[in-house]
Amino acid sequence: MGLYDRYLAARVRRHDGASPSHVAIVITERDLLERGAYETLEDVLRWAFEYEADRVTVYVSVLDPAAAPTLASELAEIDAPRAVDVRGPDDTRRVDAPISVGIGLGGKREFTRAVRGLAHEVERGERDPDGIRDADIESQLVFPDEPDLLIKTGAERLSDFMIWQSVYAELYFTDVNWRDFRKRDYLRAVLDYKKRSRRFGR
């Protein structure tokens, strides 16, 4: 670790703000085509747990659904500090793992599926539509937990991911491309988070 990285690490550790316990990262299929992209992901996962995260969610958007199986296979084999659970575009399993990876699942698609699930319950007489609450919608999401910090590299947009879950998350955008993302960039994101006063919509 270089001198500047050590300086940032010291600032992160000294700052009395809370560290993010759940970190979300949004990357694209194109990001993963770059040389060294998987090694960058392995590094980011290690940094996250090194700096007090207890879970990480990774969203990978894909343009070609046919690429999803190959991506899923490759992502399942990364050298990660904790067990990795990878979901493909049509996987409806609920995920509750320290490292969760979703491929090709846009936020609109996930939310639509959640609403459809509740509609079927109402249709079967299992649920009163007037009694539906936020928690009921969250119970239908594959990734129900809200991240504390969401990091997006390369552009200031979420690319249709984590629409529901990121409502109260602290968003951190950097123009650094994924292939160039370094430890100092992660540390900057964490330090920025620790300096913020979270309002949770208030």
Side-chain angles (χ1 to χ4, degrees), residues 1 14 16 19 22 26 47 54 96 100 110 168 171-173 175 185 191 193-194:
M1 187 163 59
R14 285 200 304 265
D16 58 4
S19 295
H22 182 185
V26 176
W47 301 333
D54 54 34
D96 185 17
S100 303
E110 184 182 23
Y168 299 135
L171 308 181
Y172 183 86
F173 297 104
D175 58 4
D185 301 306
L191 185 60
Y193 174 88
K194 297 185 78 166

Side-chain angles (χ1 to χ4, degrees), residues 8 10-11 25 39 80 84 94 108 116 119 121-122 125 131 133 140 154 169 173 176 179:
L8 282 174
R11 289 190 64 192
I25 302 162
E39 289 79 1
V84 178
R94 290 290 297 260
K108 288 183 179 179
R116 187 181 298 121
E121 292 182 9
V122 171
R133 300 290 183 265
Q140 300 286 326
F173 297 104
V176 175
R179 65 183 179 186

Side-chain angles (χ1 to χ4, degrees), residues 37-90:
Y38 287 91
E39 289 79 1
T40 298
L41 180 56
E42 293 169 353
D43 288 339
V44 171
L45 293 173
R46 281 192 288 272
W47 301 333
F49 290 106
E50 179 182 352
Y51 289 92
E52 300 183 41
D54 54 34
R55 68 183 310 175
V56 180
T57 297
V58 180
Y59 271 72
V60 182
S61 62
V62 295
L63 297 176
D64 180 7
T70 299
L71 283 172
S73 177
E74 292 174 347
L75 287 163
E77 296 299 321
I78 62 173
D79 181 15
R82 311 278 174 89
V84 178
D85 193 305
V86 181
R87 282 193 310 117
D90 299 314

Side-chain angles (χ1 to χ4, degrees), residues 167-168 197-202:
V167 169
Y168 299 135
S197 176
R198 300 192 69 187
R199 299 183 182 277
F200 298 96
R202 296 189 296 272

Side-chain angles (χ1 to χ4, degrees), residues 10-30:
R11 289 190 64 192
V12 168
R13 295 193 187 284
R14 285 200 304 265
H15 199 284
D16 58 4
S19 295
S21 61
H22 182 185
V23 176
I25 302 162
V26 176
I27 57 180
T28 68
E29 174 191 2
R30 184 177 298 176

